[in-house]
Amino acid sequence: MVRRIASQVHKQAARLMRANYIKNEPVWFQAVLEHPPLPLPPRAPPVREDLSGYHPTEPLPIFYLEDKVRRQFFRDHPFEAFRPVSIVEGREVEDEHPIRGTDWTRLAQRGLNPSPEDAVHFAVNLHNHHKMALSIAYTRAVAEFRSLRAGHDFANTFARMEAEAYGTVFPSEIDRTFEKEDAVYQSADRKVELDRGALLARKRWKAILDVDSGMGDFDRGQQYTRNWKQGIRPTYLPVDELAAASEAGTPVQPMEQDRFVKLLT
């Protein structure tokens, strides 16, 4: 049965009695008419907060101490930004270096050729785990970074000098560029040759000229015209028929006679 609001029950009952759906008047009908139920209060609007000082939600600023140290490092060493760095990511994230925290006291513990990121992390590690002031930790990290880089450059310089003393020739960047350019040109020429060879290999029929075929030089049809004037008819007969014609005394074209002699010999 459909639910009705209390203030509409007696109204619905009156409509059903007028339509003869209810034959007898309910007992409660007159009592409800004399004392009708109270009407429902109107729906109150929802309470809204004061939006006069509304500000959109903004994310909080994300701050890492490494960003501050890194910004200062590249401000002091701008040419480090020109060194090539690989940003290719592997399938898995590399594990953190085992030397970290309180065990990391010298930058050289992670290699003799440190990167700028190593220097930044070393300064932050000194500040967090060794309770150094950030300025002192940064100064120490930069000093060790410069010392290790200088030692690495000296080692490379003397290794190059030693190699040149033993006869090694190191091409310049211009020479390397020319060598790469020549390699590209040679590869293009080689590709053209391979394409030409593949085209010739795809041909099914090839013209093969036999120099001993007895044809001789081309005389523009003069021999043929001379034989025609002399009444000699050209015959292109097999060997047996050609031999029978010669025995019978039938005149044969000189070219065919030469061919017959060659076949018999």
Side-chain angles (χ1 to χ4, degrees):
M1 184 177 178
V2 181
R3 294 183 178 181
R4 297 292 180 182
I5 302 176
S7 59
Q8 295 180 356
V9 173
H10 64 285
K11 298 179 181 179
Q12 182 68 15
R15 287 194 291 269
L16 293 176
M17 285 188 295
R18 285 197 299 269
N20 293 326
Y21 280 98
I22 298 178
K23 303 299 182 181
N24 300 323
E25 181 180 322
V27 179
W28 51 264
F29 185 72
Q30 293 298 329
V32 173
L33 290 179
E34 295 177 359
H35 305 283
L38 297 176
L40 295 177
R43 184 177 179 181
V47 179
R48 299 182 182 274
E49 299 179 357
D50 186 13
L51 302 179
S52 58
Y54 173 75
H55 297 283
T57 304
E58 296 180 357
L60 297 177
I62 301 175
F63 173 78
Y64 291 99
L65 187 59
E66 288 84 353
D67 295 336
K68 180 179 179 181
V69 178
R70 188 180 295 109
R71 191 179 301 110
Q72 183 62 36
F73 179 86
F74 282 105
R75 190 179 293 118
D76 297 336
H77 307 81
F79 290 99
E80 288 295 330
F82 292 97
R83 293 184 182 272
V85 178
S86 176
I87 58 176
V88 178
E89 297 182 358
R91 294 184 177 180
E92 299 178 356
V93 179
E94 295 183 0
D95 296 334
E96 192 175 356
H97 200 280
I99 301 176
R100 60 182 184 271
T102 56
D103 297 334
W104 195 12
T105 58
R106 291 179 296 106
L107 183 58
Q109 291 177 276
R110 291 198 178 183
L112 299 179
N113 185 25
S115 64
E117 289 298 317
D118 293 334
V120 171
H121 289 298
F122 181 61
V124 175
N125 185 80
L126 291 178
H127 175 69
N128 292 335
H129 297 280
H130 295 275
K131 307 304 179 182
M132 289 187 182
L134 186 60
S135 58
I136 298 176
Y138 175 77
T139 303
R140 178 176 172 180
V142 167
E144 294 190 17
F145 174 81
R146 294 174 181 175
S147 177
L148 292 174
R149 273 296 177 85
H152 186 265
D153 291 340
F154 274 116
N156 285 342
T157 302
F158 280 98
R160 182 186 181 93
M161 293 172 61
E162 182 180 2
E164 291 177 348
Y166 282 102
T168 305
V169 178
F170 294 98
S172 62
E173 293 297 331
I174 298 178
D175 296 336
R176 288 197 186 96
T177 304
F178 285 146
E179 290 177 0
K180 292 179 181 179
E181 187 176 358
D182 294 339
V184 172
Y185 289 150
Q186 293 176 3
S187 63
D189 297 339
R190 178 63 177 168
K191 184 177 183 300
V192 172
E193 294 178 1
L194 293 176
D195 294 344
R196 187 182 297 111
L199 181 62
L200 294 177
R202 285 197 298 268
K203 290 185 177 180
R204 295 185 57 186
W205 308 106
K206 298 181 181 180
I208 301 177
L209 179 62
D210 186 7
V211 292
D212 297 332
S213 60
M215 295 178 62
D217 298 333
F218 180 66
D219 57 358
R220 299 183 180 180
Q222 296 178 4
Q223 181 66 27
Y224 184 85
T225 305
R226 191 180 306 111
N227 293 337
W228 171 69
K229 291 181 179 181
Q230 294 177 2
I232 301 175
R233 299 180 60 185
T235 57
Y236 305 97
L237 303 176
V239 177
D240 298 337
E241 297 180 5
L242 191 60
S246 61
E247 292 178 358
T250 305
V252 183
Q253 188 176 359
M255 184 181 298
E256 295 295 335
Q257 291 180 358
D258 296 342
R259 181 182 178 188
F260 176 66
V261 173
K262 287 183 179 180
L263 291 174
L264 292 179
T265 56

